[in-house]
């Protein structure tokens, strides 16, 4: 009897083992696993340069400061990947019937990194700093806010009053807000040199954890009101230049290369684990023609100069293909861009015909066209950047094929912006415009009132139709009305060719394959590469999934 009693447990154990084995076999056929993003990890990126003032009131002067501020601070609004102004610290806003008042209603769940409550007082303080005569920020920031009256309605409501309707105003509200409770007692003249500028406190997705001479460490802010990131820490390491940043990646010191210059692109693409992302920057390269010079007075001559340029060849040969031929001074990702605007493909025969019809002929067979004893020759200036030097050399070569002589000339950047541009002391000049506003307002560069003083209509272009379109487009927030006006402006610009648009530049960003789900859309500035950083991840974890659930 004892032997029988002992056999039954053995039989049951054996049967149980068979059942468990069968279950495991069944699960093996019906259940699988997959990696999903998990919280953790440190993303380390190399920057060229060192921070000077990690404060959004001063950051527009230095790219390193802007990169860090993009993760630490927020504005009332932000710009999304479609170039639209959307809420950020503000939940919503209203525009008055006369389009002069903007009332912002702030979120109630915002806390500064030190735990203090965010309020309208911080917004009023931030803009008040800009209004202070001792403020040492950029002239463009001062101009943007100098005529805007700001008032606090209550703790979560702030109102801006403009002297007249100004449709681009909303973009100014993307300015990062700084805390009154930490900066309110510091003289404005000392703000950029205060301890806050090296150990700032913001409302952003990451907060400052550690600051040293060669790096800065950020950690995810638990109190952030938006989507929390997977990556726990972000470390920026500082190097003297982009060559040093790429070398640091090769040594395994960093996971991200903040910018890959065109000259390093081929080498970067040979690195097995470095993923190079490319997107368009908001800006363009343009050759300004000084329309005060008699030889540039006729639109047909300006058209001929553009037809004579093989801009795609210039992009392919000089820029290694890293550019997009430009056809409008309004960015292609803008709602106001006209994809049907008149274009000028490379057509040297058409260029010769236009010049011939305008009376420019080579009467003495020296290869340079002339008219009434005057040669069709002029200087083509730029700063002494090697890429710009190569560009004007290629442009000069191409123009020579149609009998136009352009003498390449380079100078220092300071001399160019002080001695050449404001007094309009140039024949033609190659300039690079970067970080162009997301709003399509082209008034500062092409309106006739901007041809003197600090105005940036360096071509000295005076055209009544274009100026009226730009002026009226500023005075209404109605998108359909603005669109019609900007289409009119682009049509006039394309017909008159006041200057020669070359290309829209591309931005190249390197990230190691260890960092996943990185994606970047068209950027206003390089700091916008962190627009979707909450989606990036380094760590993963494995979870079981039903086989049937994997079948789509």
């Amino acid at each position: 009897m004892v032997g029988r009693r002992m056999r039954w447990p053995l039989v049951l154990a054996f049967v149980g083992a068979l059942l468990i084995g069968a279950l495991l076999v069944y699960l093996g056929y019906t259940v699988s696993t997959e990696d999903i993003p998990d919280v953790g990890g440190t993303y380390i990126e190399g920057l060229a340069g060192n921070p000077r003032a990690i404060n959004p009131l001063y950051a527009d002067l230095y790219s390193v400061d802007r990169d860090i501020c993009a993760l630490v601070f927020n504005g009332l609004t932000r710009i999304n990947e479609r170039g639209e102004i959307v809420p950020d610290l503000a939940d919503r806003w209203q525009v008055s019937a006369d389009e002069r008042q903007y009332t912002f209603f702030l979120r109630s769940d915002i806390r500064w990194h030190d735990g203090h409550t965010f309020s309208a007082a911080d917004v009023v303080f931030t803009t008040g700093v800009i209004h202070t005569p001792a403020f040492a920020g950029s002239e463009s920031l001062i101009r943007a806010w100098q005529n805007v009256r700001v008032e606090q309605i209550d703790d979560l409501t702030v109102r801006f009053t403009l002297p007249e309707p100004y449709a681009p105003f909303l973009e100014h509200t993307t300015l990062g807000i700084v805390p009154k409770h930490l900066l309110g007692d510091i003289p404005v003249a000392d703000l950029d040199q205060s301890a806050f500028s090296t150990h700032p406190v913001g409302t952003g997705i990451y907060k400052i954890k550690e600051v040293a001479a060669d790096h800065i460490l950020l950690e995810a802010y638990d109190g952030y009101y938006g989507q929390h990131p997977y990556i726990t820490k972000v470390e920026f390491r500082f190097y003297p230049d982009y060559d040093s940043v790429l070398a640091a990646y090769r040594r395994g010191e960093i996971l991200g290369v903040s910018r890959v210059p065109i000259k390093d692109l081929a080498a970067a693409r040979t690195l097995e684990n470095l993923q190079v992302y490319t997107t368009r920057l908001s800006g363009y390269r343009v050759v300004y023609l000084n329309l005060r010079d008699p030889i540039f007075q006729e639109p047909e001559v300006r058209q001929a100069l553009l037809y004579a340029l093989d801009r795609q060849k210039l992009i392919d040969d000089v820029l290694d293909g890293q550019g997009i031929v430009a056809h409008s001074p309004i960015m292609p990702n803008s709602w106001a861009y006209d994809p049907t605007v008149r274009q000028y493909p490379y057509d040297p025969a058409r260029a010769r015909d236009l010049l011939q019809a305008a009376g420019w002929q080579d009467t003495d067979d020296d290869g340079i066209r002339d008219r009434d004893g005057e040669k069709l020759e002029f200087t083509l200036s730029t700063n002494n950047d090697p890429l710009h030097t190569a560009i004007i050399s290629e442009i000069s070569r191409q123009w020579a094929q149609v009998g136009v002589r352009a003498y390449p000339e380079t100078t220092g950047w300071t001399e160019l912006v002080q001695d050449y541009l404001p007094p309009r002391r140039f024949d033609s000049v190659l300039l690079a415009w970067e970080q162009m506003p997301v709003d399509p307002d082209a008034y500062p560069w092409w309106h006739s009132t901007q041809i003197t003083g600090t105005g940036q209509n360096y071509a000295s272009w005076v055209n009544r139709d274009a100026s009226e379109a730009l002026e009226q487009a500023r005075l209404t927030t109605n998108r359909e009305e603005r669109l019609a006006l900007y289409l009119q402006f682009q049509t006039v610009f394309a017909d008159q060719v006041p200057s020669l648009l070359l290309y829209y530049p591309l931005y190249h960003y390197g990230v190691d394959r260890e960092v996943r789900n990185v994606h970047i859309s068209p950027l206003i500035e390089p700091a916008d590469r962190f627009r979707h950083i909450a989606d990036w991840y380094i760590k993963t974890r494995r979870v079981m999934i039903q086989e049937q659930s994997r079948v789509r």
Side-chain angles (χ1 to χ4, degrees), residues 82-115:
R82 294 179 295 277
E84 301 164 331
I85 307 295
V86 296
D88 199 350
L89 294 176
D91 183 61
R92 58 191 174 90
W93 61 85
Q94 292 177 347
V95 183
S96 63
D98 65 1
E99 299 186 335
R100 292 179 53 245
Q101 288 189 335
Y102 291 73
T103 303
F104 283 80
F105 303 92
L106 311 184
R107 295 178 62 117
S108 60
D109 56 347
I110 308 295
R111 298 290 184 275
W112 293 99
H113 292 159
D114 62 2

Side-chain angles (χ1 to χ4, degrees), residues 20-32 544-547:
I20 292 173
L23 178 62
L24 291 174
V25 171
Y26 170 77
L27 290 175
Y29 280 105
T30 60
V31 175
S32 184
M544 291 194 302
I545 56 174
Q546 291 281 338
E547 182 68 29

Side-chain angles (χ1 to χ4, degrees), residues 226-243:
Q227 179 184 345
H228 284 228
Y230 291 109
I231 296 176
T232 306
K233 296 177 182 178
V234 173
E235 180 180 349
F236 291 112
R237 295 186 182 178
F238 310 128
Y239 298 90
D241 49 45
Y242 290 115
D243 288 342

